[in-house]
Amino acid sequence: ARVLFIGSWILGRLGLQGIRQAVRKHPGRLNLVALVTDDPLDPAAKISVHKRFWRYYSEQTREDYELRILEDGLALGVPCYTGEVKNAVFRNLLAQWDPDIIVVCAFGQLIDREIIERPGLGIYNVHPSDLLHHVGAGPQPWEDIVARKAVTNRTSVHWVSETIDEGSVVGQSPPINVALPGGQPC
């Protein structure tokens, strides 16, 4: 299967690491064809810098995160793309890469129907909340964790749909400790 990975930030790097491990475990069965990431430094980027996790970081830190995931992709020898995904340039690259499956993890752009319908095996999002129980859906799962004063959280994997976090859940982690030192909620 040809895998396209789309992600950014810490969670994106962890997701890319998981894809890399799966490729190593199943040589010849999985092939990472490219990495796509946000550009949190582009003032014209459509990633909601002021509404999402990027707002908690300085411009220098945002640049460091973006460069780290790009370095990870380049170290794997795959093409890397950063920027808007709803344009002709990206759609041409997507056609060239021809992924069978797309995995998304911490990506700040809405993905439209043309991209969603492209891979034959589907497009899946790794979302840091309990979507099976309707907890933390939407573009601000981190704020939800804090607002709930959570000490545990789950990560869900769901089909991507045109509505944020509305696709069917296909997998979920057990509870993950998210408490601060001393067991205090976030």
Side-chain angles (χ1 to χ4, degrees):
R2 297 172 55 79
V3 180
L4 170 62
F5 183 78
I6 301 177
S8 62
W9 190 60
I10 298 165
L11 192 57
R13 288 189 76 205
L14 290 171
L16 182 59
Q17 193 174 59
I19 296 292
R20 179 176 45 204
Q21 289 171 354
V23 167
R24 284 184 186 151
K25 185 175 181 179
H26 304 286
R29 293 180 59 199
L30 291 176
N31 178 28
L32 181 62
V33 296
L35 163 71
V36 175
T37 189
D38 286 321
D39 185 352
L41 302 177
D42 179 357
K46 298 179 178 171
I47 63 169
S48 302
V49 169
H50 300 291
K51 295 179 185 174
R52 296 180 51 87
F53 51 79
W54 292 118
R55 72 179 175 191
Y56 298 110
Y57 301 103
S58 68
E59 185 173 317
Q60 180 61 52
T61 301
R62 291 193 307 260
E63 181 178 354
D64 289 346
Y65 280 130
E66 181 183 12
L67 291 175
R68 285 184 192 144
I69 197 165
L70 288 169
E71 289 169 352
D72 291 347
L74 292 171
L76 293 170
V78 298
C80 297
Y81 175 87
T82 182
E84 173 65 39
V85 297
K86 291 184 271 189
N87 63 40
V89 171
F90 179 76
R91 293 187 197 296
N92 287 335
L93 289 170
L94 188 60
Q96 290 173 27
W97 296 328
D98 192 26
D100 298 308
I101 187 169
I102 298 175
V103 177
V104 181
C105 196
F107 189 61
Q109 299 177 51
L110 292 175
I111 297 173
D112 64 12
R113 178 175 301 282
E114 188 173 338
I115 298 169
I116 291 168
E117 293 177 349
R118 178 73 191 191
L121 297 176
I123 177 170
Y124 302 88
N125 183 42
V126 179
H127 189 77
S129 68
D130 186 352
L131 295 178
L132 276 178
H133 296 98
H134 312 288
V135 176
Q140 297 183 329
W142 311 109
E143 288 82 351
D144 177 74
I145 292 169
V146 173
R148 289 186 294 114
K149 298 182 176 161
V151 294
T152 63
N153 194 47
R154 294 178 186 263
T155 296
S156 302
V157 176
H158 67 92
W159 285 86
V160 172
S161 66
E162 288 186 275
T163 304
I164 295 176
D165 302 330
E166 288 292 321
S168 300
V169 175
V170 297
Q172 191 170 62
S173 74
I176 300 166
N177 179 9
V178 294
L180 298 171
Q184 296 298 313
C186 292

